[in-house]
Amino acid sequence: MADIKAVITEYLAAVASGDASKVAALYADEATLEDPVGSEPNRGRAAIEAFYGGLQGEISTELLNARVAGLEAAFHFRVITKAGDATYTIEPIDVMTFDESGKITSMRAFWSPEDMVVG
Amino acid sequence: MADIKAVITEYLAAVASGDASKVAALYADEATLEDPVGSEPNRGRAAIEAFYGGLQGEISTELLNARVAGLEAAFHFRVITKAGDATYTIEPIDVMTFDESGKITSMRAFWSPEDMVVG
């Protein structure tokens, strides 16, 4: 079975790289992405790559906690984005499902705008 | 709309009380409970109360982080159970959905046995 914690680590590194195609490559073809939870999900890898195309500035990520149960996981992490003089910090909890090869089949990001810290 | 963070706080207090009926009362009649994720879900409040009937010993709970998105939430928390000379610590990430009145309609607990610390 895929090493789910390793995939999560790879995912956060890909987000920090700012390279949308690198992030999208971790998803299965027909994956869904709902960020934040309650918004209309993005469906399929092309839509997912377009979503991550919004990544801008200098990004760093840090895994705070991960809980894996079979081919599903929930993990708490920090994303710091520096854009111009501003720094945006957000610490979502993401829930992901994976296929047997470790590709992400769904992602749901739990956060709300009030969780964003601007410094 | 219901104050979801308040419901989560109430839930953790009810778990710490060890009173299964108090915990079950926070759930909607037809709620589901899957703990850990990947196990067969308990369906309906009677089955849910039976599940929490397994609570034993002196329990304390602490909310570490909660992320709310509409009527869904993910939260990371600590449960310490003292039973005899042993102390069991587990820090799951739970995902819950709620109805408009704030009753829990589903709970899924992300953790695996290797996350348990016995001291």
PDB file of all heavy atoms in Angstrom, chain A residues 25-39:
ATOM      1  N   ALA A  25       0.064  16.846 -10.482  1.00  0.00           N
ATOM      2  CA  ALA A  25       0.553  15.505 -10.834  1.00  0.00           C
ATOM      3  C   ALA A  25       0.372  14.513  -9.689  1.00  0.00           C
ATOM      4  O   ALA A  25       0.409  13.301  -9.903  1.00  0.00           O
ATOM      5  CB  ALA A  25       2.021  15.583 -11.242  1.00  0.00           C
ATOM      6  N   LEU A  26       0.157  15.014  -8.478  1.00  0.00           N
ATOM      7  CA  LEU A  26      -0.051  14.120  -7.326  1.00  0.00           C
ATOM      8  C   LEU A  26      -1.500  13.642  -7.250  1.00  0.00           C
ATOM      9  O   LEU A  26      -1.821  12.754  -6.463  1.00  0.00           O
ATOM     10  CB  LEU A  26       0.334  14.837  -6.028  1.00  0.00           C
ATOM     11  CG  LEU A  26       1.800  15.272  -5.930  1.00  0.00           C
ATOM     12  CD1 LEU A  26       2.016  16.141  -4.697  1.00  0.00           C
ATOM     13  CD2 LEU A  26       2.714  14.045  -5.886  1.00  0.00           C
ATOM     14  N   TYR A  27      -2.362  14.241  -8.049  1.00  0.00           N
ATOM     15  CA  TYR A  27      -3.783  13.882  -8.049  1.00  0.00           C
ATOM     16  C   TYR A  27      -4.091  12.839  -9.115  1.00  0.00           C
ATOM     17  O   TYR A  27      -3.450  12.801 -10.174  1.00  0.00           O
ATOM     18  CB  TYR A  27      -4.630  15.123  -8.340  1.00  0.00           C
ATOM     19  CG  TYR A  27      -4.829  16.044  -7.149  1.00  0.00           C
ATOM     20  CD1 TYR A  27      -3.875  17.000  -6.809  1.00  0.00           C
ATOM     21  CD2 TYR A  27      -5.969  15.953  -6.366  1.00  0.00           C
ATOM     22  CE1 TYR A  27      -4.048  17.847  -5.718  1.00  0.00           C
ATOM     23  CE2 TYR A  27      -6.161  16.791  -5.271  1.00  0.00           C
ATOM     24  CZ  TYR A  27      -5.200  17.736  -4.950  1.00  0.00           C
ATOM     25  OH  TYR A  27      -5.393  18.558  -3.874  1.00  0.00           O
ATOM     26  N   ALA A  28      -5.102  12.013  -8.848  1.00  0.00           N
ATOM     27  CA  ALA A  28      -5.628  11.085  -9.851  1.00  0.00           C
ATOM     28  C   ALA A  28      -6.377  11.890 -10.925  1.00  0.00           C
ATOM     29  O   ALA A  28      -6.829  13.014 -10.673  1.00  0.00           O
ATOM     30  CB  ALA A  28      -6.567  10.076  -9.187  1.00  0.00           C
ATOM     31  N   ASP A  29      -6.522  11.301 -12.119  1.00  0.00           N
ATOM     32  CA  ASP A  29      -7.151  12.001 -13.260  1.00  0.00           C
ATOM     33  C   ASP A  29      -8.514  12.591 -12.900  1.00  0.00           C
ATOM     34  O   ASP A  29      -8.836  13.704 -13.292  1.00  0.00           O
ATOM     35  CB  ASP A  29      -7.366  11.022 -14.430  1.00  0.00           C
ATOM     36  CG  ASP A  29      -6.063  10.613 -15.085  1.00  0.00           C
ATOM     37  OD1 ASP A  29      -5.024  11.230 -14.755  1.00  0.00           O
ATOM     38  OD2 ASP A  29      -6.085   9.690 -15.917  1.00  0.00           O
ATOM     39  N   GLU A  30      -9.330  11.801 -12.203  1.00  0.00           N
ATOM     40  CA  GLU A  30     -10.717  12.199 -11.955  1.00  0.00           C
ATOM     41  C   GLU A  30     -10.916  12.747 -10.542  1.00  0.00           C
ATOM     42  O   GLU A  30     -12.031  12.726 -10.012  1.00  0.00           O
ATOM     43  CB  GLU A  30     -11.656  11.002 -12.172  1.00  0.00           C
ATOM     44  CG  GLU A  30     -11.533  10.331 -13.529  1.00  0.00           C
ATOM     45  CD  GLU A  30     -11.875  11.285 -14.659  1.00  0.00           C
ATOM     46  OE1 GLU A  30     -12.779  12.129 -14.456  1.00  0.00           O
ATOM     47  OE2 GLU A  30     -11.225  11.205 -15.720  1.00  0.00           O
ATOM     48  N   ALA A  31      -9.855  13.225  -9.947  1.00  0.00           N
ATOM     49  CA  ALA A  31      -9.924  13.681  -8.554  1.00  0.00           C
ATOM     50  C   ALA A  31     -10.813  14.914  -8.403  1.00  0.00           C
ATOM     51  O   ALA A  31     -11.109  15.608  -9.381  1.00  0.00           O
ATOM     52  CB  ALA A  31      -8.518  13.987  -8.055  1.00  0.00           C
ATOM     53  N   THR A  32     -11.227  15.138  -7.167  1.00  0.00           N
ATOM     54  CA  THR A  32     -11.982  16.351  -6.845  1.00  0.00           C
ATOM     55  C   THR A  32     -11.243  17.131  -5.767  1.00  0.00           C
ATOM     56  O   THR A  32     -10.524  16.554  -4.943  1.00  0.00           O
ATOM     57  CB  THR A  32     -13.397  16.018  -6.330  1.00  0.00           C
ATOM     58  OG1 THR A  32     -13.280  15.170  -5.177  1.00  0.00           O
ATOM     59  CG2 THR A  32     -14.221  15.323  -7.397  1.00  0.00           C
ATOM     60  N   LEU A  33     -11.434  18.443  -5.799  1.00  0.00           N
ATOM     61  CA  LEU A  33     -10.773  19.338  -4.850  1.00  0.00           C
ATOM     62  C   LEU A  33     -11.802  20.362  -4.376  1.00  0.00           C
ATOM     63  O   LEU A  33     -12.383  21.069  -5.198  1.00  0.00           O
ATOM     64  CB  LEU A  33      -9.591  20.019  -5.548  1.00  0.00           C
ATOM     65  CG  LEU A  33      -8.756  21.032  -4.749  1.00  0.00           C
ATOM     66  CD1 LEU A  33      -7.385  21.198  -5.401  1.00  0.00           C
ATOM     67  CD2 LEU A  33      -9.429  22.395  -4.656  1.00  0.00           C
ATOM     68  N   GLU A  34     -12.036  20.408  -3.089  1.00  0.00           N
ATOM     69  CA  GLU A  34     -13.029  21.334  -2.508  1.00  0.00           C
ATOM     70  C   GLU A  34     -12.309  22.194  -1.471  1.00  0.00           C
ATOM     71  O   GLU A  34     -11.998  21.730  -0.382  1.00  0.00           O
ATOM     72  CB  GLU A  34     -14.157  20.516  -1.864  1.00  0.00           C
ATOM     73  CG  GLU A  34     -15.301  21.336  -1.298  1.00  0.00           C
ATOM     74  CD  GLU A  34     -16.339  20.440  -0.607  1.00  0.00           C
ATOM     75  OE1 GLU A  34     -16.335  19.208  -0.834  1.00  0.00           O
ATOM     76  OE2 GLU A  34     -17.134  20.990   0.178  1.00  0.00           O
ATOM     77  N   ASP A  35     -12.025  23.445  -1.847  1.00  0.00           N
ATOM     78  CA  ASP A  35     -11.196  24.314  -0.991  1.00  0.00           C
ATOM     79  C   ASP A  35     -11.706  25.734  -1.079  1.00  0.00           C
ATOM     80  O   ASP A  35     -11.509  26.388  -2.094  1.00  0.00           O
ATOM     81  CB  ASP A  35      -9.740  24.220  -1.454  1.00  0.00           C
ATOM     82  CG  ASP A  35      -8.800  25.024  -0.562  1.00  0.00           C
ATOM     83  OD1 ASP A  35      -9.257  25.764   0.322  1.00  0.00           O
ATOM     84  OD2 ASP A  35      -7.581  24.919  -0.787  1.00  0.00           O
ATOM     85  N   PRO A  36     -12.356  26.263  -0.022  1.00  0.00           N
ATOM     86  CA  PRO A  36     -12.638  25.587   1.243  1.00  0.00           C
ATOM     87  C   PRO A  36     -13.856  24.660   1.154  1.00  0.00           C
ATOM     88  O   PRO A  36     -14.613  24.740   0.184  1.00  0.00           O
ATOM     89  CB  PRO A  36     -12.937  26.757   2.192  1.00  0.00           C
ATOM     90  CG  PRO A  36     -13.522  27.817   1.308  1.00  0.00           C
ATOM     91  CD  PRO A  36     -12.803  27.673  -0.016  1.00  0.00           C
ATOM     92  N   VAL A  37     -14.001  23.794   2.162  1.00  0.00           N
ATOM     93  CA  VAL A  37     -15.189  22.952   2.278  1.00  0.00           C
ATOM     94  C   VAL A  37     -16.429  23.840   2.174  1.00  0.00           C
ATOM     95  O   VAL A  37     -16.494  24.893   2.803  1.00  0.00           O
ATOM     96  CB  VAL A  37     -15.172  22.187   3.627  1.00  0.00           C
ATOM     97  CG1 VAL A  37     -16.533  21.590   3.940  1.00  0.00           C
ATOM     98  CG2 VAL A  37     -14.106  21.102   3.599  1.00  0.00           C
ATOM     99  N   GLY A  38     -17.383  23.408   1.361  1.00  0.00           N
ATOM    100  CA  GLY A  38     -18.603  24.190   1.148  1.00  0.00           C
ATOM    101  C   GLY A  38     -18.601  24.920  -0.176  1.00  0.00           C
ATOM    102  O   GLY A  38     -19.648  25.351  -0.653  1.00  0.00           O
ATOM    103  N   SER A  39     -17.422  25.051  -0.793  1.00  0.00           N
ATOM    104  CA  SER A  39     -17.352  25.684  -2.114  1.00  0.00           C
ATOM    105  C   SER A  39     -17.581  24.623  -3.185  1.00  0.00           C
ATOM    106  O   SER A  39     -17.565  23.425  -2.906  1.00  0.00           O
ATOM    107  CB  SER A  39     -15.999  26.372  -2.304  1.00  0.00           C
ATOM    108  OG  SER A  39     -14.946  25.414  -2.270  1.00  0.00           O
TER     109      SER A  39
END
